[in-house]
Amino acid sequence: MKSEAVLERDAPESGDTLKFGGREFRSRLIVGTGKFPDHRTMQQAHDASGAEMVTVAVRRVNLDRTQESLLDYIDPKRYALLPNTAGCYTAEEAINTAMLAREVGLSDMVKLEVIGDQRTLFPDNEELLKATKALVKEGFVVLPYTNDDPIMAKKLEDAGAAVVMPLAAPIGSGLGIRNPHNIRIILEAARVPIIVDAGVGTASDASVAMELGCDGVLMNTAIACAKDPIAMATAMRHAIIAGRLAYRAGRIPKKLYASASSPLEGLIE
């Protein structure tokens, strides 16, 4: 079995980095911080994932650094923080939350969420687009979470989003990519990175996203709520690498009938 070091050398990250907002990342996996059994498990899972960016819900993190916080378990020298506006239902709420995150020194990047329905957690795209335009004008690097609608993805890109993050399936559902065809259409038109966000359940889901050509995957529940979060984080790390390599290698076309791998010509009868 190959060592971790060899696996890393095999990965495309060395010459195929994820770039946006003036930043560059070797890992194409972004992980969350919620739902873990405890902060130590979260910390170990982050390490196992190989991620270089973690997302934190501004409304759910203790910003008072005189008290214990999950931020105490995230090394800022190792991980870039990606504050998110989870729990916001209007553009105004999301904008204020992003401003607060920047004010306390978390980051000028923001994973922008504006939820439209409490039961499904689907985004309110009208409010999302409004918030994107406002935050771009304020100098934020905006990564909006949206549905898998190619039209909205293009509007968000045109509004100045540094990355567009279509869902694979509802948040926390673990259903995997429900509509790969729409993701393909989004990818064909995009001039910014496309990172699948929400709905991934296991390593094969992450690999499929990467094989489609996505630039990365953001996940939380699939790792945090697994029976063994650390093992799942490791699996996701390798799935992202394998999926990206497969995409770059170029898969064979699908055919209805068999195609012999050994030629018949030249065989002695």
Side-chain angles (χ1 to χ4, degrees):
M1 182 178 290
K2 290 187 177 184
S3 68
E4 292 290 324
V6 174
L7 281 167
E8 285 188 0
R9 286 200 301 272
D10 286 347
E13 279 85 340
S14 57
D16 178 37
T17 55
L18 174 61
K19 301 176 183 178
F20 63 87
R23 295 167 171 83
E24 185 172 3
F25 302 93
R26 290 179 302 146
S27 173
R28 292 174 177 270
L29 175 60
I30 304 172
V31 293
T33 51
K35 301 183 180 181
F36 283 94
D38 52 71
H39 290 158
R40 290 294 182 188
T41 301
M42 178 194 75
Q43 190 177 53
Q44 290 176 303
H46 286 174
D47 180 60
S49 74
E52 297 172 298
M53 186 186 312
V54 298
T55 181
V56 295
V58 179
R59 290 189 164 196
R60 297 173 190 149
V61 66
N62 182 8
L63 298 176
D64 182 358
R65 302 313 299 273
T66 64
Q67 301 178 28
E68 186 181 54
S69 166
L70 68 83
L71 295 176
D72 298 327
Y73 295 83
I74 302 172
D75 182 357
K77 295 180 180 178
R78 181 174 181 181
Y79 302 103
L81 286 179
L82 178 60
N84 75 57
T85 61
C88 294
Y89 285 81
T90 66
E92 184 179 4
E93 283 183 307
I95 292 166
N96 289 339
T97 301
M99 293 288 193
L100 173 61
R102 185 166 69 177
E103 183 67 24
V104 298
L106 291 184
S107 180
D108 63 350
M109 293 193 297
V110 60
K111 180 198 168 188
L112 184 60
E113 296 183 28
V114 185
I115 301 302
D117 178 70
Q118 193 170 18
R119 183 172 62 89
T120 64
L121 299 181
F122 284 140
D124 182 331
N125 284 324
E126 184 178 2
E127 292 291 291
L128 178 68
L129 185 59
K130 184 192 302 184
T132 298
K133 291 177 179 178
L135 289 171
V136 168
K137 287 182 179 179
E138 292 293 335
F140 282 86
V141 177
V142 182
L143 294 77
Y145 156 73
T146 184
N147 57 16
D148 55 1
D149 176 3
I151 304 303
M152 181 51 62
K154 189 62 179 174
K155 286 184 177 181
L156 291 166
E157 178 183 313
D158 292 343
V163 170
V164 174
M165 307 181 79
L167 55 80
I171 292 174
S173 67
L175 290 172
I177 297 179
R178 297 294 84 197
N179 196 340
H181 308 294
N182 274 22
I183 299 295
R184 285 184 183 276
I185 294 171
I186 290 171
L187 288 166
E188 285 180 2
R191 295 170 300 174
V192 298
I194 302 298
I195 296 178
V196 160
D197 177 17
V200 168
T202 190
S204 57
D205 299 332
S207 186
V208 166
M210 299 306 296
E211 289 172 12
L212 286 172
C214 293
D215 297 281
V217 178
L218 188 153
M219 65 183 73
N220 182 66
T221 305
I223 293 176
C225 294
K227 291 182 179 179
D228 185 338
I230 298 165
M232 185 60 79
T234 304
M236 293 298 189
R237 175 183 186 174
H238 297 321
I240 293 291
I241 292 172
R244 182 64 179 177
L245 283 170
Y247 168 72
R248 285 166 57 85
R251 66 157 293 138
I252 63 171
K254 294 181 180 180
K255 299 179 181 178
L256 182 60
Y257 297 103
S259 176
S261 57
S262 298
L264 299 178
E265 294 80 2
L267 293 178
I268 299 176
E269 295 184 359

